């Protein structure tokens, strides 16, 4: 037995033990409101596209077994990915291999990965693909065709299970290709456009999901955001009275779009838009952006600040992983006391900088600049930054779980690339930007009033 084989065997055993312990402690997994809705669709066989239906379709294969099988899948991807990368580098960088496994044990990150949601499904699938490719690439071996096929299937699922996941998957694929930057940019654009065009076809025709109206939410959120900033403008499609009421009721919130959709808050104000096609609503939003670019920028930057958690108060909601499953009558239960203890501990991390997406955005920019997109680390930085950048245009909520993949991808890239040893100018600029982020975020959390800690409270 060679020394390298011995080290890799230990990593494999450690990874299997961590997977087994994760399943033992967290089975059958936590479920949230979204999870219950998707399981209900899996049980009934009637699907809609409010959440990408591929997850509910997959879940339908395990009907009668609750959330456990889906938890097993996403945890298997989680530990397969981390274990594959760790095993590939352990003979040369044993400490780094342990750091890779430690990423999987960061309490709030693991706390979200054991919650059966599309975000954890995407992270598990993408991480498994990275582990498969990394096992070969990090040992300077050619990736065999079968491994590419397996990774491709996982990345296809990851791209379909979240509506905006392609903004992470396309740059990941492009940067893994041995191509020039022009070709990589073309790959990103091509994959993104193809996915955005084909996803509705896959969801509605292939997977049989009905239109839920979810495609209207982004346009209505931004249209209302522009309206309350500029006031009456007939080109917006909202009357002066409607705009005044939206403003008076504070229906537009940087944290999320939900007040505009809740009947008890402001949903009735936009009810007439429910019969309009998404295309017609976007046809109003596009000229609104052109005529009021500053108002649109204010709307998107306000939301970007909220979801990136920069200038926000302490205990900004939707960061802590769940401590209990959503009440339901579908037979979906929750883990036991040990899991609850873990989740409560994870909840204490919400104001630690590792839970600020803006920190990882900053590190991803620096990492991508240092690596110039080369290697597996460069692909991870590009993937993280691609998804985070998309939130500036396509995002209507500030939950931390939306950032789980970019955070984990960047952390993994940091371990692999050691970018702090790169170009001193880039490293210095990154550290300066990071220091500024920490200063601004720290001041905000020390001075701003703590927000409501319930969904109803955030609705207003």
């Amino acid at each position: 037995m060679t020394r390298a084989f011995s080290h890799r065997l230990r990593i494999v055993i450690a990874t299997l033990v961590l997977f087994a312990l994760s399943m033992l402690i967290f089975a059958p997994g936590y479920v949230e409101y979204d999870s219950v809705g998707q399981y209900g669709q899996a049980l009934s066989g009637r699907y809609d596209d409010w959440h990408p239906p591929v997850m509910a379709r997959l879940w339908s294969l395990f009907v009668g077994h609750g959330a456990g099988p889906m938890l097993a899948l996403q945890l298997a991807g989680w530990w397969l990915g981390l274990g594959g990368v760790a095993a590939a580098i352990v003979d040369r960088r044993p400490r780094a291999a342990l750091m890779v496994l430690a990423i999987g044990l960061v309490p709030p990150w693991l706390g979200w990965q054991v919650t059966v949601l599309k975000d954890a499904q995407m992270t598990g699938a993408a991480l498994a693909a990275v582990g498969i490719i990394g096992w070969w690439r990090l040992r300077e071996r050619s990736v065999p065709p079968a491994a590419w096929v397996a990774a491709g299937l996982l990345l296809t699922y990851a791209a379909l299970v979240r509506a905006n996941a392609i903004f992470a998957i396309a740059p990941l694929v492009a940067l893994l290709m041995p191509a020039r930057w022009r070709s990589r940019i073309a790959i990103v654009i091509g994959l993104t456009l193809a996915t955005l065009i084909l996803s509705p076809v896959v969801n509605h025709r292939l997977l049989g999901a009905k239109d839920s109206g979810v495609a209207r939410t982004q346009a209505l959120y931004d249209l209302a955001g522009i309206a309350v900033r500029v006031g009456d403008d007939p080109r917006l499609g909202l009357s002066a009275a409607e705009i005044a009421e939206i403003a008076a009721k504070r229906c537009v919130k940087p944290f999320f779009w939900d007040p505009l959709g809740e009947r008890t808050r402001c949903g009735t104000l936009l009810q007439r838009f429910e019969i309009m096609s998404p295309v017609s609503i976007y046809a109003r939003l596009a000229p609104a952006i052109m005529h009021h670019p500053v108002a649109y920028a204010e709307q998107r930057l306000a939301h970007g600040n909220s979801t990136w958690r920069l200038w926000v108060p302490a205990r900004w909601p939707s960061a802590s992983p769940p401590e209990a499953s959503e009440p339901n009558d579908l037979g979906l239960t929750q883990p036991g006391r040990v899991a609850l203890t873990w989740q409560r501990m994870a909840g204490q991390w919400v104001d630690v900088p590792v839970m600020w997406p803006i920190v990882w955005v900053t590190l991803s920019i620096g990492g991508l600049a240092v690596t110039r997109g080369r290697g597996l680390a460069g692909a991870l930085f590009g993937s993280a930054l691609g998804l985070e950048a998309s939130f500036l245009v396509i995002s209507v909520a500030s939950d931390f779980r939306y950032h789980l993949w970019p955070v984990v991808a960047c952390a993994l890239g940091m371990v692999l690339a050691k970018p702090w040893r790169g170009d001193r100018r880039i490293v210095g600029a990154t550290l300066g930007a990071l220091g500024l982020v920490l200063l601004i975020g720290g001041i905000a959390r020390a001075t701003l009033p703590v927000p409501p800690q319930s969904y109803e409270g955030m609705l207003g």
Side-chain angles (χ1 to χ4, degrees), residues 8 16 37 43 83 102 133-134 155 164 175 178 197 208 216 265 268 271 273 275 277 343 346 362 403:
R8 286 174 182 148
L16 291 174
L43 288 172
I133 295 170
L155 292 175
N164 63 344
L175 289 170
I197 292 170
R216 301 176 180 86
R265 282 285 282 114
T268 56
Q271 190 171 1
F273 287 95
I275 62 173
S277 69
Q343 298 295 76
T362 306
H403 304 271

Side-chain angles (χ1 to χ4, degrees), residues 80 125 128-130 132-133 143-157:
L80 170 63
V130 167
I132 292 171
I133 295 170
V143 181
W148 277 119
V149 170
L153 290 173
L154 287 164
L155 292 175
T156 299
Y157 177 70

Side-chain angles (χ1 to χ4, degrees), residues 5-23 75-76 78-87 90 94 96-105 110:
F5 181 83
S6 175
H7 286 332
R8 286 174 182 148
L9 181 60
R10 291 175 185 175
I11 290 293
V12 170
I13 292 173
T15 302
L16 291 174
V17 169
L18 289 170
F19 170 69
L21 287 175
S22 299
M23 285 299 300
L75 278 177
W78 178 264
W79 289 116
L80 170 63
L82 295 173
V85 170
V90 68
L98 294 177
M99 291 175 65
V100 168
L101 293 183
I103 289 172
L105 293 172
L110 181 58

Side-chain angles (χ1 to χ4, degrees), residues 337-361:
R337 293 182 179 180
V338 177
L340 175 59
T341 301
W342 179 278
Q343 298 295 76
R344 285 176 175 172
M345 174 184 65
Q348 301 303 310
W349 286 56
V350 295
D351 289 316
V352 177
V354 297
M355 292 295 286
W356 306 0
I358 187 61
V359 166
W360 300 100
V361 171

Side-chain angles (χ1 to χ4, degrees), residues 255-344:
F255 182 72
F256 56 3
W257 98 286
D258 293 37
L260 289 165
E262 287 286 347
R263 300 286 185 185
T264 56
R265 282 285 282 114
C266 310
T268 56
L269 295 175
L270 302 177
Q271 190 171 1
R272 60 189 176 87
F273 287 95
E274 293 179 1
I275 62 173
M276 297 176 62
S277 69
V279 173
S280 62
I281 300 175
Y282 276 100
R284 296 190 179 191
L285 176 62
I289 294 172
M290 289 189 291
H291 287 101
H292 305 289
V294 175
Y296 176 70
E298 290 176 352
Q299 159 73 1
R300 295 312 309 166
L301 288 175
H303 177 70
N305 171 70
S306 174
T307 194
W308 282 349
R309 297 175 181 263
L310 177 58
W311 185 259
V312 297
R315 307 300 299 179
W316 196 233
S318 298
S320 299
E323 297 180 7
S325 287
E326 179 77 14
N328 65 91
D329 57 3
L330 302 180
L332 296 173
T333 56
Q334 62 190 29
R337 293 182 179 180
V338 177
L340 175 59
T341 301
W342 179 278
Q343 298 295 76
R344 285 176 175 172

Side-chain angles (χ1 to χ4, degrees), residues 334-416:
Q334 62 190 29
R337 293 182 179 180
V338 177
L340 175 59
T341 301
W342 179 278
Q343 298 295 76
R344 285 176 175 172
M345 174 184 65
Q348 301 303 310
W349 286 56
V350 295
D351 289 316
V352 177
V354 297
M355 292 295 286
W356 306 0
I358 187 61
V359 166
W360 300 100
V361 171
T362 306
L363 292 174
S364 293
I365 294 172
L368 187 62
V370 167
T371 62
R372 301 184 185 276
R374 299 190 186 100
L376 184 60
L380 289 166
F381 290 134
S383 177
L385 197 55
L387 186 55
E388 290 294 345
S390 76
F391 293 137
L392 288 173
V393 181
I394 305 173
S395 176
V396 296
S398 301
D399 301 45
F400 174 82
R401 60 187 171 96
Y402 302 149
H403 304 271
L404 184 60
W405 166 250
V407 166
V408 172
C410 180
L412 187 54
M414 294 289 289
V415 174
L416 292 177

Side-chain angles (χ1 to χ4, degrees), residues 178-212:
R180 295 182 178 182
W181 274 99
R182 287 185 180 179
S183 299
R184 287 173 169 174
I185 292 171
I187 291 171
V188 170
I189 294 173
L191 285 177
T192 302
L193 290 178
T195 302
L196 294 178
I197 292 170
L198 294 177
S199 287
V201 177
V202 172
N203 291 339
H204 298 147
R205 296 185 182 180
L206 184 61
L207 299 177
K210 294 182 178 179
D211 180 13
S212 64

